[in-house]
């Protein structure tokens, strides 16, 4: 490795995914010189192997499902999806795995991109091993932000390496649709990819260790999604653990705990995430390589005055939009501290506190039906010691839902804090409810009293009228 120059910046960011980009954007807006280091593609996991390609794959699937609920249109979409066209549109949304556009954006904000593997090399110091065999040293006057995200976590199973299993990356970037696909897991990646590949013509078998799908949401969310996947032809097996895998004459064989053999052309493991911190030099600053990085609400690593960690690496909320929110908080905090602001706004909901991570994390699962939630589930609220009441409404009772599509099935729940009479959490499940979630996020994050929500009149006839039905059910 050839040593080159040392370059000083105000801020150095490790990782140029959406989170790192947002930190750089805010520190540049504060007038701070900023370097950003990336070993793969600028734009990160979300742009090329997660959010964007998965949603590009799902959109035709959901659009066809919606069309099939409408007389006069259902016959026109009765045939199969054009898998080649769907995959080609996915490729457009990943820019064919080129990051030229993202690099131009970094240039436009005045951040310096350093390509290569970045590692901490002591306090406020980062070394970058470039693809050309050179090593640069970057120093940070004010802050280093670790925004390196996560990678798929694979279980330790006999035969796994030889099988060459899919992770979320292979699932979202595959150039063809396998005839048969085993999916191990029951979370967001598992359910969304099951929705995609079943609709594109694969025979999908989902093996779930737990009791049901989407275990982090209200139980009815996973139940409704499982029912729909089963009706579409997928085989959903709960309470099923995979004990071993093998590839026999090109066919994947998964053996379950009860001795069943499940065969497929490919197998996708959607079994969680691990932090990309094993080779970023944490040991040089007294931290454990491969660990999640614990932070305070300003996103500063505990025990440090200069090291920040945003996005998945801090394990607060493994969602792109939440990581970008943290990045905005961190960038503004770094700017304020660099400017010598004497008192930061670190109280809950202040400009320098990522309070939503604790109280108002939103998420949409783009299955059919969609599942969306913000804040706490009923079980989470009760476990936290809050005095709460759940209010449920059948979404099919709302006129807008019936107009959206014949045979509409869905459910809504709000979890009311009985002492404050505000919302602790809201969950919607049903076709077309993803765009409905932000209204719930505003209500939860804003801690809007039930008495004031009563005056937020939903337009008729929209699915949003479910808000009126929920409030009526609560008030009696």
């Amino acid at each position: 490795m050839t040593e080159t120059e040392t370059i000083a910046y105000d801020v150095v960011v490790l990782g140029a995914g959406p989170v790192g980009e947002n930190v750089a954007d805010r520190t540049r807006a504060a007038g701070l010189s900023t370097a950003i280091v990336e070993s793969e593609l600028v734009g990160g996991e979300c742009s090329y192997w997660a959010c964007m390609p998965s949603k590009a794959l799902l959109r035709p699937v959901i659009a066809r499902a919606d069309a099939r609920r409408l007389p006069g249109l259902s016959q026109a979409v009765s045939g199969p999806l054009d898998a080649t066209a769907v995959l080609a549109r996915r490729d457009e949304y990943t820019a064919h795995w080129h990051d030229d556009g993202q690099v131009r954006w970094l240039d436009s904000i005045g951040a310096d991109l350093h390509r290569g593997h970045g590692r901490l090399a002591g306090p406020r110091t980062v070394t970058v091993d470039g693809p050309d065999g050179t090593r640069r040293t970057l120093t940070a006057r004010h802050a280093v932000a670790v925004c390196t995200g996560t990678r798929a976590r694979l279980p330790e199973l006999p035969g796994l390496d030889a099988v060459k299993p899919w992770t979320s990356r292979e699932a979202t970037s595959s150039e063809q649709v396998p005839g048969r696909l085993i999916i191990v897991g029951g979370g967001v990646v598992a359910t969304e990819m099951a929705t995609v590949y079943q609709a594109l013509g694969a025979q999908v078998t989902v093996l779930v260790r737990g009791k049901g799908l989407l275990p982090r949401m209200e139980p009815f969310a996973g139940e409704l999604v499982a029912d729909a996947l089963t009706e579409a032809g997928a085989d959903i097996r709960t309470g099923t653990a995979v004990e071993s895998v093998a590839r026999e004459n090109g066919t994947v064989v998964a053996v379950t705990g009860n001795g069943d053999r499940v065969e497929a052309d490919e197998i996708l493991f959607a079994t969680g995430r691990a932090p990309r911190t094993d080779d970023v030099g944490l040991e040089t600053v007294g931290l454990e390589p491969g660990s999640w990085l614990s932070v305070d609400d300003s996103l500063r690593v505990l025990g440090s005055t200069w090291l920040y960690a945003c996005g998945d690496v801090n394990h607060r909320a493994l969602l792109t939009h939440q990581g970008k929110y943290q990045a905005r908080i961190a960038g503004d905090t770094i700017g304020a501290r660099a400017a010598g602001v004497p008192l930061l706004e670190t109280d809950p909901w202040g400009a320098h506190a990522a309070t939503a991570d604790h109280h108002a994390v939103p998420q949409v699962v783009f299955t059919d039906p969609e599942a969306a939630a913000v804040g706490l589930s009923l079980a989470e609220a009760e476990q936290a010691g809050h005095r709460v009441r759940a209010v449920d409404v059948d979404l099919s009772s709302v006129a807008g839902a019936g107009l959206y599509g014949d045979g509409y099935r869905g459910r809504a729940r709000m979890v009311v804090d009985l002492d404050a009479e505000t919302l602790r959490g809201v969950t919607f499940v049903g076709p077309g409810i993803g765009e409905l979630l932000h209204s719930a996020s505003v209500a939860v994050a804003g801690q809007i009293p039930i008495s004031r929500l009563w005056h937020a009149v939903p337009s008729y006839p929209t699915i949003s009228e479910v808000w009126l039905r929920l409030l009526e059910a609560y008030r009696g």
Side-chain angles (χ1 to χ4, degrees):
M1 189 66 63
T2 303
E3 295 282 350
T4 59
E5 76 269 38
T6 296
I7 310 174
Y9 290 93
D10 291 322
V11 180
V12 177
V13 181
L14 286 178
V19 177
E21 288 176 325
N22 272 261
V23 172
D25 189 34
R26 297 312 303 156
T27 56
R28 287 297 300 130
L32 301 178
S33 62
T34 301
I36 190 164
V37 182
E38 178 54 56
S39 61
E40 292 188 292
L41 296 175
V42 175
E45 196 82 9
C46 173
S47 298
Y48 305 103
W49 299 287
C51 317
M52 296 306 290
S54 66
K55 290 0 170 227
L57 290 169
L58 282 157
R59 181 59 197 144
V61 175
I62 302 305
R64 182 181 69 164
D66 286 341
R68 285 179 166 178
R69 297 183 181 98
L70 295 172
L73 184 56
S74 56
Q75 287 300 110
V77 292
S78 59
L81 287 167
D82 183 339
T84 300
V86 172
L87 296 177
R89 184 171 185 265
R90 181 271 320 272
D91 294 349
E92 291 294 325
Y93 271 89
T94 60
H96 298 271
W97 290 274
H98 293 292
D99 63 2
D100 300 1
Q102 301 270 12
V103 172
R104 285 194 296 270
W105 179 82
L106 279 180
D107 289 341
S108 75
I109 66 169
D112 289 351
L113 172 63
H114 293 266
R115 290 195 184 271
H117 190 94
R119 295 179 183 87
L120 290 164
R124 294 185 173 87
T125 304
V126 171
T127 60
V128 182
D129 294 336
D132 58 356
T134 61
R135 172 172 289 174
R136 289 181 175 176
T137 299
L138 312 179
T139 60
R141 299 181 189 92
H142 297 292
V144 174
V146 179
C147 308
T148 49
T150 57
R151 56 177 171 78
R153 186 180 64 222
L154 291 171
E156 295 183 3
L157 281 178
L160 187 61
D161 290 343
V163 166
K164 296 182 179 179
W166 280 10
T167 67
S168 54
R169 282 198 170 196
E170 289 76 22
T172 57
S173 63
S174 177
E175 296 180 358
Q176 55 188 324
V177 178
R180 298 166 299 171
L181 176 65
I182 297 169
I183 299 177
V184 182
V188 177
V189 171
T191 54
E192 288 189 346
M193 290 301 97
T195 301
V196 166
Y197 281 101
Q198 184 66 40
L200 290 179
Q203 175 56 55
V204 172
T205 303
V206 182
L207 306 179
V208 188
R209 180 186 293 272
K211 296 180 180 179
L213 303 181
L214 301 177
R216 295 184 181 277
M217 302 183 91
E218 298 283 7
F220 62 81
E223 292 166 4
L224 286 167
V225 170
D227 288 347
L229 282 171
T230 300
E231 290 174 10
D235 181 6
I236 312 294
R237 305 187 191 182
T238 58
T240 302
V242 176
E243 298 295 333
S244 67
V245 292
R247 194 176 283 272
E248 302 173 359
N249 299 319
T251 297
V252 175
V253 178
V255 179
T256 69
N258 59 11
D260 289 342
R261 288 167 51 93
V262 185
E263 297 185 357
D265 300 291
E266 301 291 350
I267 185 167
L268 163 62
F269 279 87
T271 49
R273 309 290 297 180
R276 288 180 178 269
T277 60
D278 53 313
D279 191 20
V280 296
L282 293 185
E283 68 279 3
T284 69
V285 293
L287 297 171
E288 182 182 350
S291 64
W292 302 100
L293 297 177
S294 298
V295 297
D296 61 22
D297 276 0
S298 73
L299 288 311
R300 190 163 58 179
V301 173
L302 298 181
S304 175
T305 60
W306 57 272
L307 185 61
Y308 292 73
C310 302
D312 286 7
V313 291
N314 62 36
H315 207 241
R316 287 164 68 104
L318 277 65
L319 297 159
T320 296
H321 49 269
Q322 212 66 21
K324 291 164 68 174
Y325 160 75
Q326 293 172 10
R328 295 191 294 271
I329 298 290
D332 289 346
T333 301
I334 292 167
R337 286 177 171 145
V341 174
L343 293 175
L344 299 187
E345 298 177 39
T346 56
D347 289 338
W349 307 110
H352 307 117
T355 312
D357 287 350
H358 308 299
H359 302 293
V361 174
Q363 181 175 25
V364 179
V365 185
F366 292 86
T367 47
D368 177 39
E370 292 174 343
V374 62
L376 302 179
S377 67
L378 175 61
E380 289 170 337
E382 290 176 339
Q383 289 166 8
H386 302 299
R387 198 170 67 90
V388 293
R389 173 187 162 196
V391 180
D392 290 358
V393 167
D394 184 342
L395 264 168
S396 67
S397 66
V398 178
L403 290 167
Y404 190 90
D406 289 358
Y408 191 103
R409 285 181 291 176
R411 186 172 170 184
R413 167 174 288 180
M414 67 179 188
V415 179
V416 182
D417 186 308
L418 295 174
D419 295 316
E421 284 225 317
T422 57
L423 303 185
R424 288 284 177 181
V426 180
T427 299
F428 302 117
V429 183
I433 53 79
E435 296 297 340
L436 185 60
L437 184 64
H438 193 59
S439 60
S441 297
V442 171
V444 173
Q447 298 175 325
I448 302 173
I450 292 287
S451 59
R452 180 57 60 89
L453 283 175
W454 185 251
H455 296 281
V457 182
S459 297
Y460 181 87
T462 65
I463 301 177
S464 291
E465 201 179 14
V466 69
W467 278 108
L468 176 56
R469 299 290 168 257
L470 286 165
L471 294 168
E472 287 174 336
Y474 176 72
R475 297 182 70 163

